[in-house]
Amino acid sequence: MFFTLQISTLLYTLPLLLLDVTLCLYFYLYLPMKLRVNAENLDVEIEQLLNAEKHARLAGDVAATRNAATEILRLCFEARAWNTLNDQIVLLTKRRGQHRQAITAMVQQAMQYIDETPHIEIRIKLIETLESVCNGKIYVEIERARLIKNLAKIKEEQGLIDEAADLMQEVAVETFGAMAKTEKIAFILEQVRLCLDRQDYVRAQILSRKISTRVFDADVSKEKKKAKEGDNVVEEAPLDIPSLPELKRIYYELMIRYYSHKKDYLEICRCYKAIYEIPSVKENTTEWIPILRKICWFLVLSPHDPMQSSLLNCILEDRNLSEIPNFKLLLKQLVTMEVIQWTTLWDSYKDEFENENILGEYLGAEPEKDLRERVIEHNILVISEYYARITLKRLAELLCLSVQEAEKHLSDMVVSKALVAKIDRPMGIVCFQRAKDSNDVLNSWAANLESLLDLVEKSCHQIHKETMVHKAALKV
């Protein structure tokens, strides 16, 4: 009985051993002698390898299956049979019970042949073939994302921006656990850029929110932990992917394009401030001086609110601002509670304002109009601090405007809740006192009564003190 089991086991394992020996002899002895394959015997070689791949796949030999599949692709590539290459990729991946390791190896090897294609049509065809093979397979999702990015780049070079943007939007890389963080961010930023290029600002904003700004401030050295058993292995990012500081700058430059479309000066200022805080920028004087100038300009152009005031004071505390004294003086004028003369200010800063380059464009007439409005708003706030009531005529004189323009700007500030004021148009008087509700009136009455009772108590104490002193003097 024992010898019968041994013989049956030997008969079962002997074909598998012969298959492994045959494949090893083929791959390590026969193939090196045939590095180049002619077009005539290419089909014969592929047929032999397909048979070897079939036997290895049915025997469960993953390594031999992978080697046979990749060798077929190599033969097609060396023979420059691009149509055959595409056909074999589809054929091998659709075979029954094909191992995922073999499919992954084939896709990764075929991706190396993309740059070797003779012209653009063959390149697009190869990329589309690989993308169709990867579609729906989670173990090659990263390769599919890279293929789509490559195809979108080709479409963009052909001037098909809409098609490139549609291709990129099909991939949600934020769900890829095995993709490197920098590669994810770079892919999303490419999606945002294409949306901005096609002027799809709504979708660009939605995509930009997938990136948390806290990612750029993370310490990369602390995040490299040893992978535990069962954890997803994160792949290394390709060499052409920028580092986190570079991605941070790209992100905020794209957001500047978005906020420039919305004319949100305060958000543009915050974006430039984030770029200014990048260590590589702060170390280079030729880089941070133009950025600091832009921060100052957009701070001045921003409407007055608590965030703008906080940023204004923060920039004034920056020591680097002393390198550009003109802008430091400009910001100090906005902080000082004094009326600014528009003509004097514009004469001093007109040349620098018009020569300021923002994203390849110069500040034009519309930002100049916004700058004048900011100066008028500042002057109205200063006047409201010094006057409780003022006539419209006197207000217009202080603002160097007509009565109608002064009334319009004052009304706009009241509507935006930047200021509390009432205008008596028949009398031509502006009242800057806030109207009190019933609670405020009761609180003021309570405060007045409390102060009155304190005075009465102090008076009684003084009277009692004088009485005691007078009685003591009479006893003496």
Side-chain angles (χ1 to χ4, degrees), residues 23-34:
L23 291 174
C24 290
L25 291 173
Y26 184 84
F27 286 118
Y28 297 104
L29 295 178
Y30 179 67
L31 285 177
M33 293 186 297
K34 298 191 66 178

Side-chain angles (χ1 to χ4, degrees), residues 161-409:
I161 303 296
D162 293 341
E163 292 185 16
D166 292 336
L167 282 171
M168 293 290 287
Q169 289 167 21
E170 294 178 359
V171 186
V173 293
E174 63 273 9
T175 62
F176 294 178
M179 180 178 281
K181 180 170 62 176
T182 53
E183 189 174 2
K184 285 184 186 179
I185 297 173
F187 195 93
I188 296 174
L189 291 178
E190 189 69 13
Q191 292 176 327
V192 175
R193 185 187 65 81
L194 288 172
C195 288
L196 291 174
D197 289 344
R198 72 187 296 191
Q199 298 182 353
D200 188 357
Y201 296 100
V202 176
R203 195 176 297 275
Q205 183 188 22
I206 295 172
L207 291 171
S208 66
R209 289 179 178 176
K210 294 181 180 180
I211 301 175
S212 174
T213 54
R214 291 178 294 180
V215 175
F216 300 120
D217 301 326
D219 190 355
V220 181
S221 61
K222 294 182 180 179
E223 293 184 358
K224 291 184 178 179
K225 300 178 182 178
K226 188 176 180 180
K228 298 180 181 179
E229 187 176 355
D231 292 348
N232 292 328
V233 179
V234 179
E235 293 188 6
E236 293 290 335
L239 298 177
D240 59 342
I241 299 298
S243 61
L244 269 180
E246 295 173 350
L247 290 172
K248 179 179 181 180
R249 181 161 190 167
I250 295 170
Y251 169 78
Y252 283 110
E253 286 175 352
L254 291 174
M255 297 312 297
I256 288 170
R257 288 180 57 186
Y258 170 73
Y259 290 121
S260 297
H261 170 73
K262 294 182 64 178
K263 294 182 174 56
D264 193 340
Y265 296 125
L266 184 59
E267 290 298 330
I268 296 174
C269 174
R270 294 178 64 186
C271 291
Y272 274 118
K273 189 174 185 298
I275 297 174
Y276 173 72
E277 292 174 352
I278 297 175
S280 60
V281 174
K282 272 200 169 183
E283 293 172 359
N284 192 349
T285 309
T286 58
E287 288 192 23
W288 65 256
I289 287 181
I291 294 175
L292 189 58
R293 288 166 57 95
K294 293 177 176 61
I295 292 173
C296 295
W297 278 126
F298 285 108
L299 260 181
V300 175
L301 290 170
S302 302
H304 178 77
D305 63 358
M307 178 64 72
Q308 189 258 1
S309 300
S310 176
L311 279 174
L312 189 60
N313 292 312
C314 179
I315 297 301
L316 278 172
E317 293 175 359
D318 193 344
R319 295 180 180 178
N320 290 335
L321 195 63
S322 59
E323 298 291 332
I324 42 177
N326 292 338
F327 289 88
K328 187 175 183 179
L329 179 62
L330 175 63
L331 297 184
K332 279 188 175 181
Q333 291 184 26
L334 294 178
V335 175
T336 307
M337 297 303 290
E338 295 180 0
V339 174
I340 300 175
Q341 296 294 328
W342 165 249
T343 54
T344 305
L345 179 72
W346 183 243
D347 291 340
S348 302
Y349 294 94
K350 179 180 179 180
D351 294 336
E352 294 185 3
F353 186 82
E354 292 179 347
N355 294 328
E356 193 67 40
N357 192 335
I358 308 295
L359 296 176
E361 298 180 358
Y362 294 100
L363 294 173
E366 190 169 352
E368 177 187 346
K369 180 181 177 182
D370 295 333
L371 177 61
R372 188 178 183 187
E373 289 183 0
R374 297 292 91 79
V375 173
I376 294 172
E377 289 178 3
H378 168 79
N379 292 339
I380 292 176
L381 290 172
V382 171
I383 293 170
S384 67
E385 291 291 329
Y386 289 104
Y387 287 89
R389 297 178 63 186
I390 188 173
T391 60
L392 272 173
K393 184 178 179 181
R394 177 57 179 162
L395 178 65
E397 290 177 358
L398 292 174
L399 297 177
C400 300
L401 299 172
S402 64
V403 175
Q404 290 78 11
E405 290 177 342
E407 184 179 349
K408 177 183 178 300
H409 285 93

Side-chain angles (χ1 to χ4, degrees), residues 104-121:
T104 304
M106 282 191 294
V107 171
Q108 291 176 351
Q109 181 169 343
M111 288 176 64
Q112 299 175 4
Y113 302 152
I114 293 176
D115 295 334
E116 303 294 332
T117 51
H119 51 82
I120 197 68
E121 288 79 10

